[in-house]
Amino acid sequence: MIGIIGAMEEEVAALKEVMEVQETVEQASMVFCRGILCGKEAVVVRSGIGKVNAGICAQILVDRFHADVLINTGIAGSLDARIDIGDMVISTDALHHDMDATQFGYPVGQVPRMEVLSFAADKELVKKAVEANEKANPDIHTFTGRVASGDQFIASKEVKENIVKNFQPLCVEMEGAGIAQAAYLNKVSYVIIRAISDKADNSATMDYPAFERQAIAHSVRLVKELLPVI
Ligand code: ADE
């Protein structure tokens, strides 16, 4: 079973439109839509914003719907000058840029008493997502690399530079690492797919609304291309 966690209502709605819906279940104030999507058993859900919502959502997908693959789609701020608004980032790994237990000797970003700094995405899923995006959205560029997540919308040059210095990620968003950590703990595979909506600096809030519709169209096309090959 494939769990698809979308950040935006419109994105989830677009996937539900093409889904053969079999059941709609509400838990933890989230609506889980189960059915057949592009020939695959899937559950589509909007987690809400932030890492806690994302982690709760992922755990329900695993426990209640027996998801063994988690796909997180949405938008993100670019942290790399090569990556433009509209481009797509596929995660190699994800971490919490706002976790800090350096006082106890842990590297910044690492959850204390966990063995890893970042949570690795499934290599095969990453490869398939890259291929799917190149096919579905040939007009945009695809990048693979680290995703940094935190419970903050990044719209300041200084904060952005600090995240880049600490972690060298390609993009920043607010859910991926919560899902990645849940996937790690439950030993299921995951990938994060993010369309770039802004540059995570002082221009971030300006770019964001204008780009949303285009980002949704790209990620829906990508998911439709990816699902049949999983
Ligand atoms: N999602 C989209 N843009 C973002 C940003 N700049 N910071 C955090 N999450 C985002």
Side-chain angles (χ1 to χ4, degrees), residues 75-77 152-155 172-174 197-198 200 204 208:
I75 51 186
Q152 302 162 3
F153 186 87
I154 307 302
V172 64
E173 40 81 300
M174 302 174 74
S197 59
D198 59 82
Y208 192 90

Side-chain angles (χ1 to χ4, degrees), residues 49 74-79 97 148-156 172-175 194-201 204-205 208:
I49 294 165
I75 51 186
S78 170
L79 298 177
H97 70 72
S149 312
D151 289 312
Q152 302 162 3
F153 186 87
I154 307 302
S156 135
V172 64
E173 40 81 300
M174 302 174 74
E175 293 81 25
R194 294 273 171 170
I196 298 301
S197 59
D198 59 82
K199 297 283 181 99
D201 56 18
T205 43
Y208 192 90

Side-chain angles (χ1 to χ4, degrees), residues 67-130:
D68 50 6
V69 173
L70 298 174
I71 300 173
N72 175 221
T73 66
I75 51 186
S78 170
L79 298 177
D80 187 315
R82 293 171 304 153
I83 310 176
D84 251 325
I85 293 175
D87 286 340
M88 201 69 87
V89 172
I90 319 260
S91 63
T92 50
D93 62 319
L95 53 66
H96 305 277
H97 70 72
D98 55 356
M99 172 60 72
D100 188 342
T102 48
Q103 187 66 24
F104 302 103
Y106 291 96
V108 62
Q110 183 159 339
V111 181
R113 305 194 182 191
M114 288 192 81
E115 307 79 9
V116 293
L117 166 65
S118 74
F119 307 103
D122 184 87
K123 285 198 174 64
E124 200 55 34
L125 265 180
V126 173
K127 187 165 162 273
K128 286 177 178 171
V130 170

